[in-house]
């Protein structure tokens, strides 16, 4: 999808993309679908499923084979996240956060020793990764963070807390950004890698959420937590800048997650509309329903093109900030609209847990909030187009 050829853009999926999509689809059908509502109701984070995903290469999609990963690009990554999310967005979200945030931060900014130390375990799914930027009082205003890291010889002492952290309890390792300079200074924050079991590092409250309930979200708490300087990623003061670059790729992930939700809700609605009979014919024959389906299909296609264009730029090492913001903003809003219409098409049944669309509806809203709200994406887009 959107690969460059001598004759221009190629809109066909490659054999590799089709193969990984098939593999992800089979994985989701076998290991995820039978347990969707069970995990959702109990808010179960199924660690064993992510271990299996690691065996299949889904936990190190973008990681080079030399470090234990699959060595694939962003188009294949989108295919994997999308197929998993069509079945259960919660699992798709966790796979995305593990790959694009924690693992990718170490991959992009760690030195060779750090990558060799941590990446293979993450890529194989032996370890589950977390990534900590957000705090209780600093969501979109990440630069105002209160968590501090103060140097003491060859160590850093961290104090503070992070909030809304995916895998905050079950994660074996976390990349955490802490303030090492003045509050609000974009060069006053530094990234550190912290392993589970480090004294002074613990998990806090697990969030009780509207949707994405099988994707664990919790606090990370640091109390005089001593981290060796060898766990610092990059130079002192580069943590925030690194994070913004990591989020550029992360927004492609959320675009893929949004596509999966939208396609899952659309396909369920298409099927239902052909089976549900009212006034002597399937409801798909009524213009009120068929027009909804037409709009859903068109918006999904437009979102897909934006997400894959961002992937194309990322794969080729081109600036991606503007396009990933456009893709994330549009795809996430589309998945909310499509999920909303899916419930409407299902009528009363769409409001029950017997049909899948109520869960897509609940899960969809996170996409317009996580990894930069729709409003933040508009800020990023406006800043870039008004340069």
């Amino acid at each position: 999808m959107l690969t460059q050829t001598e004759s221009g853009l190629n809109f066909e999926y490659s054999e590799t993309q089709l193969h990984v999509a098939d593999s992800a689809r089979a994985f989701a059908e076998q290991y995820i679908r039978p347990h969707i509502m069970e995990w959702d109701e109990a808010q179960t984070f199924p660690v064993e499923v992510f271990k299996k995903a690691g065996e299949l290469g889904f936990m190190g999609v973008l990681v080079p084979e030399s470090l234990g990963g699959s060595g694939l690009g962003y188009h294949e990554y989108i295919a994997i996240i999308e197929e998993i999310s069509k079945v259960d967005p919660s699992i798709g979200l966790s796979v995305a956060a593990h790959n694009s945030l924690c693992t990718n931060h170490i991959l992009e900014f760690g030195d060779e020793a750090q990558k060799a130390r941590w990446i293979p375990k993450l890529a194989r799914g032996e370890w589950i990764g977390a990534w900590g930027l957000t705090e209780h009082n600093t969501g979109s205003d990440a630069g105002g963070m209160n968590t501090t890291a103060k140097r003491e010889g060859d160590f850093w002492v961290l104090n503070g807390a992070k909030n809304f952290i995916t895998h905050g309890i079950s994660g074996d390792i976390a990349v955490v950004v802490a303030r090492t300079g003045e509050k609000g200074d974009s060069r006053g924050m530094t990234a550190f890698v912290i392993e589970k079991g480090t004294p002074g590092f613990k998990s806090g409250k697990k969030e009780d959420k509207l949707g994405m309930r099988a994707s664990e979200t919790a606090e990370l708490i640091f109390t005089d937590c001593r981290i060796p300087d060898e766990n610092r990623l990059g130079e002192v003061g580069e943590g925030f800048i690194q994070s913004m670059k990591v989020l550029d790729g992360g927004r492609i992930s959320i675009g893929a997650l949004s596509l999966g939700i939208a396609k899952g809700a659309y396909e369920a609605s298409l099927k239902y509309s052909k089976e549900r009979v009212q006034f002597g014919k399937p409801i798909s024959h009524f213009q009120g329903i068929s027009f909804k389906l037409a709009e859903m299909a068109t918006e999904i296609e437009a979102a897909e093109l934006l997400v894959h264009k961002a992937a194309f730029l990322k794969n080729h090492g081109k600036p991606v900030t503007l396009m990933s913001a456009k893709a994330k903003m549009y795809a996430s809003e589309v998945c909310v609209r499509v999920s909303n219409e899916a419930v409407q098409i299902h009528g009363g049944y769409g409001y029950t847990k017997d049909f899948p669309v109520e869960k897509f509806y609940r899960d969809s809203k996170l996409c317009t909030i996580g990894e930069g709200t729709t409003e933040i994406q508009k800020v990023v887009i406006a800043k870039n187009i008004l340069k």
Side-chain angles (χ1 to χ4, degrees):
M1 172 67 75
L2 281 179
T3 51
Q4 191 71 43
T5 65
E6 290 182 8
S7 58
L9 291 174
N10 174 18
F11 289 90
E12 294 182 350
Y13 291 101
S14 69
E15 282 189 25
T16 303
Q17 289 163 26
L18 292 171
H19 174 69
V20 298
D22 286 343
S23 297
R25 191 179 306 120
F27 163 74
E29 290 295 334
Q30 182 175 352
Y31 295 101
I32 300 172
R33 190 176 294 282
H35 309 287
I36 296 171
M37 295 314 296
E38 168 197 339
W39 293 340
D40 182 75
E41 302 262 335
Q43 299 197 64
T44 300
F45 179 65
V47 175
E48 68 286 351
V49 167
F50 295 94
K51 304 292 185 185
K52 185 64 183 178
E55 292 175 18
L56 295 170
F58 301 151
M59 300 296 270
V61 182
L62 304 165
V63 174
E65 292 180 36
S66 60
L67 287 170
S70 299
L72 298 171
Y74 271 82
H75 294 300
E76 292 81 11
Y77 179 46
I78 289 167
I80 290 166
I81 299 300
E82 182 185 308
E83 289 298 335
I84 293 172
S85 302
K86 280 166 69 174
V87 174
D88 190 342
S90 298
I91 308 303
L93 172 62
S94 276
V95 172
H98 172 93
N99 273 279
S100 68
L101 298 180
C102 179
T103 304
N104 199 44
H105 198 142
I106 299 171
L107 187 63
E108 287 204 26
F109 300 104
D111 59 32
E112 293 308 310
Q114 290 171 328
K115 286 190 265 193
R117 180 179 169 191
W118 293 308
I119 292 290
K121 291 178 182 176
L122 288 164
R124 292 192 294 261
E126 293 172 18
W127 280 8
I128 291 173
W131 192 75
L133 180 66
T134 300
E135 297 184 3
H136 293 80
N137 297 313
T138 59
S140 297
D141 180 20
M145 68 177 57
N146 294 313
T147 297
T148 58
K150 295 185 178 178
R151 188 154 194 169
E152 291 186 1
D154 292 332
F155 285 82
W156 294 84
V157 181
L158 273 66
N159 280 285
K162 297 291 177 178
N163 196 30
F164 297 138
I165 307 306
T166 305
H167 314 146
I169 295 169
S170 299
D172 300 282
I173 187 171
V175 175
V176 175
V177 181
R179 186 160 55 82
T180 51
E182 295 301 313
K183 186 178 286 193
D185 178 5
S186 64
R187 294 192 175 274
M189 289 156 276
T190 304
F192 302 90
V193 179
I194 308 171
E195 295 180 22
K196 188 182 228 178
T198 301
F201 173 40
K202 68 175 184 178
S203 303
K205 174 193 173 189
K206 179 179 177 179
E207 300 296 340
D208 186 4
K209 301 175 298 184
L210 168 72
M212 299 293 192
R213 289 165 63 86
S215 179
E216 179 185 272
T217 308
E219 292 176 306
L220 298 178
I221 299 170
F222 308 94
T223 308
D224 293 330
C225 179
R226 289 172 62 82
I227 306 298
D229 187 55
E230 65 190 35
N231 284 32
R232 170 173 48 83
L233 289 175
E235 298 301 320
V236 174
E238 289 185 348
F240 183 76
I241 296 157
Q242 292 173 3
S243 297
M244 295 303 102
K245 291 178 181 176
V246 167
L247 285 171
D248 281 344
R251 286 165 181 162
I252 297 173
S253 293
I254 300 299
L257 173 64
S258 300
L259 277 178
I261 294 171
K263 287 186 179 183
Y266 165 74
E267 289 171 10
S269 300
L270 190 64
K271 180 176 182 288
Y272 180 82
S273 72
K274 293 176 179 178
E275 296 171 350
R276 173 70 165 165
V277 174
Q278 292 286 275
F279 306 102
K281 56 186 174 181
I283 62 172
S284 59
H285 289 202
F286 295 104
Q287 197 175 71
I289 301 298
S290 65
F291 277 16
K292 286 184 188 296
L293 292 166
E295 289 176 354
M296 292 158 79
T298 303
E299 289 197 320
I300 289 169
E301 184 95 9
E304 188 167 29
L305 290 170
L306 280 171
V307 174
H308 277 285
K309 184 174 181 182
F312 170 81
L313 295 174
K314 185 72 174 169
N315 279 347
H316 287 78
K318 297 179 183 294
V320 75
T321 301
L322 175 59
M323 188 51 62
S324 66
K326 286 180 177 178
K328 194 271 185 189
M329 180 188 78
Y330 187 74
S332 65
E333 292 292 340
V334 163
C335 90
V336 172
R337 287 197 293 272
V338 168
S339 299
N340 180 53
E341 291 287 44
V343 172
Q344 195 71 16
I345 287 169
H346 280 71
Y349 292 111
Y351 207 67
T352 72
K353 293 183 184 292
D354 294 328
F355 287 78
V357 292
E358 69 85 29
K359 184 174 182 299
F360 285 125
Y361 184 52
R362 286 187 289 111
D363 289 345
S364 69
K365 191 57 195 167
L366 182 277
C367 296
T368 68
I369 298 169
E371 296 194 36
T373 61
T374 293
E375 291 72 25
I376 286 296
Q377 304 314 313
K378 290 178 181 178
V379 168
V380 172
I381 294 165
K383 182 179 177 182
N384 276 271
I385 65 177
L386 293 171
K387 274 182 181 177

